[in-house]
């Protein structure tokens, strides 16, 4: 099915001493072929709207999207202005299309475009209980702020690696920007 998480399993048939693999939409109880009684889940993959698997690379327990043909660009989770970086007013960003339901963490980045005549900021956190840009109790876990309006125009990026506390992460951006998932 398109836009679906598939869990990768290594399976074993002790009668024939056969080791095999299968993909299942179940993260806990895949439908096993006859005779296969042992299983171990080893990861997850997702496909796009055309049912092509996204390219990922896995090292131990970390998985990263491989930018190239599928996906051709980073997985933008949200773009534009969002909420308020000072109050803060957090915008929830669902993670279900970007990390599998079994993921414990999400890695990514948030960026903000800085025009030459304005200050801009971007913040992100694993929940909406963090303070705003100038808060120290508790501060956002990822933030970038440029108060220089000297005329330089650029884009700034902050990286994050959050343990997931729910099915959302949260962000706010005072100008054009975005938040993207790089892996889990």
């Amino acid at each position: 099915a398109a836009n679906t998480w598939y869990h990768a399993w290594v399976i074993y048939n002790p009668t024939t001493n056969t080791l095999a693999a299968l993909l299942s939409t179940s993260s806990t109880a895949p439908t096993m072929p006859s005779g296969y009684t042992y299983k171990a889940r080893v990861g997850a993959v997702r496909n796009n709207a055309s049912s092509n698997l996204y390219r990922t690379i896995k090292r131990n327990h970390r998985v990263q999207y491989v930018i190239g043909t599928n996906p051709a660009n980073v997985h933008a989770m949200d773009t534009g202005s969002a909420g308020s970086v000072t109050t803060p007013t957090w915008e929830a960003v669902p993670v279900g299309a970007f990390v599998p339901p079994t993921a414990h963490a999400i890695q990514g980045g948030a960026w903000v475009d800085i025009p030459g005549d304005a200050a801009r900021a971007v913040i992100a956190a694993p929940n909406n209980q963090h303070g705003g840009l100038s808060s120290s109790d508790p501060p956002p876990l990822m933030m970038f702020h440029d108060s220089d309006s000297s005329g330089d125009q650029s884009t700034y990026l902050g990286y994050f690696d959050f343990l997931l506390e729910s099915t959302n992460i949260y962000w706010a951006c005072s100008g054009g920007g975005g938040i993207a998932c790089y892996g889990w």
Side-chain angles (χ1 to χ4, degrees):
N3 296 315
T4 301
W5 284 105
Y6 288 96
H7 300 274
W9 294 86
V10 174
I11 58 176
Y12 178 70
N13 181 329
T15 304
T16 61
N17 196 29
T18 305
L19 187 66
L22 65 81
L23 290 177
S24 172
T25 56
S26 174
S27 64
T28 58
T31 301
M32 302 283 279
S34 178
Y36 286 83
T37 55
Y38 295 96
K39 64 185 184 299
R41 196 180 73 80
V42 294
V45 294
R46 184 175 171 92
N47 61 12
N48 63 16
S50 300
S51 294
N52 297 313
L53 291 175
Y54 286 117
R55 294 179 62 217
T56 57
I57 188 168
K58 182 176 188 218
R59 297 279 192 268
N60 296 322
H61 295 289
R62 292 198 51 184
V63 178
Q64 180 174 297
Y65 287 105
V66 177
I67 305 303
T69 55
N70 190 32
N73 299 302
V74 297
H75 283 290
M77 301 170 72
D78 198 3
T79 59
S81 296
S84 167
V85 297
T86 54
T87 307
T89 306
W90 293 101
E91 183 175 306
V93 181
V95 300
F98 307 100
V99 300
T102 55
H104 300 289
I106 183 171
Q107 290 97 31
W111 67 92
V112 62
D113 296 324
I114 310 292
D117 60 349
R120 298 278 171 86
V122 61
I123 59 176
N127 66 50
N128 62 358
Q129 300 302 304
H130 289 260
L133 187 62
S134 59
S135 177
S136 61
D137 189 22
L141 293 185
M142 194 283 321
M143 67 178 140
F144 182 84
H145 179 234
D146 181 23
S147 59
D148 179 16
S149 56
S150 64
D152 294 336
Q153 183 171 354
S154 53
T155 300
Y156 291 95
L157 174 67
Y159 294 97
F160 61 83
D161 186 353
F162 298 154
L163 291 177
L164 289 169
E165 299 177 18
S166 71
T167 57
N168 295 320
I169 59 172
Y170 296 83
W171 85 304
C173 183
S174 64
I179 188 165
C181 177
Y182 302 151
W184 63 92

